[in-house]
């Protein structure tokens, strides 16, 4: 039997938390007196919280002390968490559950590879925690995507070689991380941003069982 490792990113792949990250960062930008657009938000996908703040401050041309930065990081996360309080399985993106169930049916290994330090509570709230044979998140790695550390560690925990690992990602940095790590990258989103992905789907509703079967058998 062929067993592969299927590694899922979290934000933008399993759940649409990008909208909550956006609201929390927008609030800080507005307090600092500049606008934060949805286009700006694209730059933060898959990027760590600390790096995200630096990018936002660059956008607003704001220089700040480490103390101020630490304060904003705490404020951002508290605000972000407040949006997650009522989160449940209704926030799982369309098409994800059938693919997770099919992978289980085919006895494949499943891991999470996320930059988020809030990954576990999100999996718990959405009732998806038990699908994962390994979880690697922002608490476990020191190098952010596009460094492949998060995915390499997930493959290692599953005892699977990088070339037998498939990564589902919605961010440019995440697709690059999968490619650099020697894994098969599957972009979830738009071709305009994710053209470096080996395969691309607008969302999981466009992915059929034959695609998964081919990945398992090749
Ligand atoms: P947190 P992913 C990433 O998660 C998000 O895409 C990114 O926007 C966020 O800044 C990062 O997690 C850190 O999240 O503040 O919760 O630790 O897409 O890698 O699952
Ligand atoms: Mg993501």
């Amino acid at each position: 039997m062929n067993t592969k490792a299927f590694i899922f990113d979290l934000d933008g792949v399993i759940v649409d938390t990008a909208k909550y990250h956006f609201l929390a960062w927008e609030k800080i930008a507005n307090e600092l007196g500049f606008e934060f657009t949805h286009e700006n938000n694209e730059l933060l996908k898959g990027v760590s919280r600390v790096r995200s703040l630096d990018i936002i401050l660059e956008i607003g041309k704001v220089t700040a002390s480490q103390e101020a930065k630490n304060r904003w990081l705490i404020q951002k996360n508290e605000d972000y968490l407040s949006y997650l309080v009522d989160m449940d399985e209704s926030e799982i993106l369309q098409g994800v559950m059938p693919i997770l169930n099919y992978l289980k049916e085919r006895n494949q290994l499943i891991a999470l590879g996320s930059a988020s330090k809030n990954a576990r509570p999100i999996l718990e709230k959405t009732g998806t925690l038990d699908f994962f044979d390994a979880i690697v998140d922002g608490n476990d790695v020191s190098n952010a995507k596009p460094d492949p550390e998060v995915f390499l560690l997930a493959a290692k925990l599953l005892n699977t070689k990088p070339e037998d690992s498939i990564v589902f990602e919605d961010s440019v940095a995440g697709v690059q991380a999968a490619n650099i790590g020697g894994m098969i990258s599957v972009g979830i989103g738009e071709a305009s941003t994710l053209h470096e992905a080996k395969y691309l789907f607008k969302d999981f509703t466009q992915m059929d069982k034959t695609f998964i079967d081919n990945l398992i058998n090749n």
Side-chain angles (χ1 to χ4, degrees):
M1 189 190 67
N2 269 348
T3 307
K4 300 281 167 76
F6 288 83
I7 307 173
F8 288 73
D9 172 53
L10 179 65
D11 294 336
V13 168
I14 296 176
V15 283
D16 181 18
T17 36
K19 60 185 179 210
Y20 302 137
H21 284 296
F22 173 78
L23 290 172
W25 285 129
E26 184 190 39
K27 201 168 162 195
I28 289 186
N30 292 351
E31 277 173 23
L32 292 173
F34 62 93
E35 231 191 291
F36 180 62
T37 66
H38 283 281
E39 203 183 345
N40 295 148
N41 198 45
E42 284 300 311
L43 300 171
L44 309 186
K45 287 191 177 170
V47 176
S48 72
R49 198 182 310 162
V50 171
R51 178 72 193 123
S52 296
L53 177 62
D54 285 338
I55 293 173
I56 285 165
L57 296 180
E58 278 164 32
I59 291 168
K61 298 186 176 53
V62 173
T63 44
S65 66
Q66 192 53 51
E67 201 194 339
K69 285 189 193 181
N70 291 344
R71 240 190 0 257
W72 293 325
L73 287 170
I74 291 169
Q75 183 189 326
K76 187 270 168 180
N77 199 47
E78 283 175 354
D79 200 30
Y80 174 66
L81 290 177
S82 73
Y83 294 111
L84 303 186
V85 170
D86 296 326
M87 184 172 233
D88 60 21
E89 67 276 4
S90 66
E91 300 220 27
I92 299 172
L93 287 167
Q94 258 202 317
V96 171
M97 288 316 293
I99 296 294
L100 282 174
N101 281 316
Y102 187 60
L103 290 172
K104 278 281 170 222
E105 205 179 292
R106 296 283 328 257
N107 290 314
Q108 298 301 301
L109 294 165
I110 305 176
L112 189 85
S114 167
S116 174
K117 293 190 170 179
N118 298 301
R120 275 176 188 272
I122 292 174
L123 294 180
E124 273 167 26
K125 280 170 180 292
T126 54
T128 50
L129 186 64
D130 290 345
F131 280 90
F132 293 91
D133 301 297
I135 293 173
V136 183
D137 64 21
N139 300 294
D140 305 309
V141 294
S142 36
N143 300 302
K145 301 168 187 175
D147 189 290
E149 184 184 7
V150 63
F151 297 139
L152 291 175
L153 183 54
K156 193 175 162 204
L157 290 174
L158 296 179
N159 250 317
T160 308
K161 288 188 242 144
E163 60 266 36
D164 290 326
S165 303
I166 297 103
V167 172
F168 299 117
E169 252 295 345
D170 72 312
S171 73
V172 178
V175 165
Q176 289 170 340
N179 291 342
I180 293 167
M183 300 177 168
I184 297 160
S185 56
V186 182
I188 306 293
E190 302 300 328
S192 51
T193 44
L194 301 178
H195 50 83
E196 289 176 60
K198 175 149 194 203
Y199 302 102
L200 182 79
F201 294 88
K202 203 168 174 338
D203 57 47
F204 278 98
T205 63
Q206 308 296 310
M207 196 183 289
D208 59 15
K209 290 178 177 174
T210 315
F211 175 71
I212 299 291
D213 288 339
N214 287 336
L215 289 170
I216 294 171
N217 297 329
N218 291 319

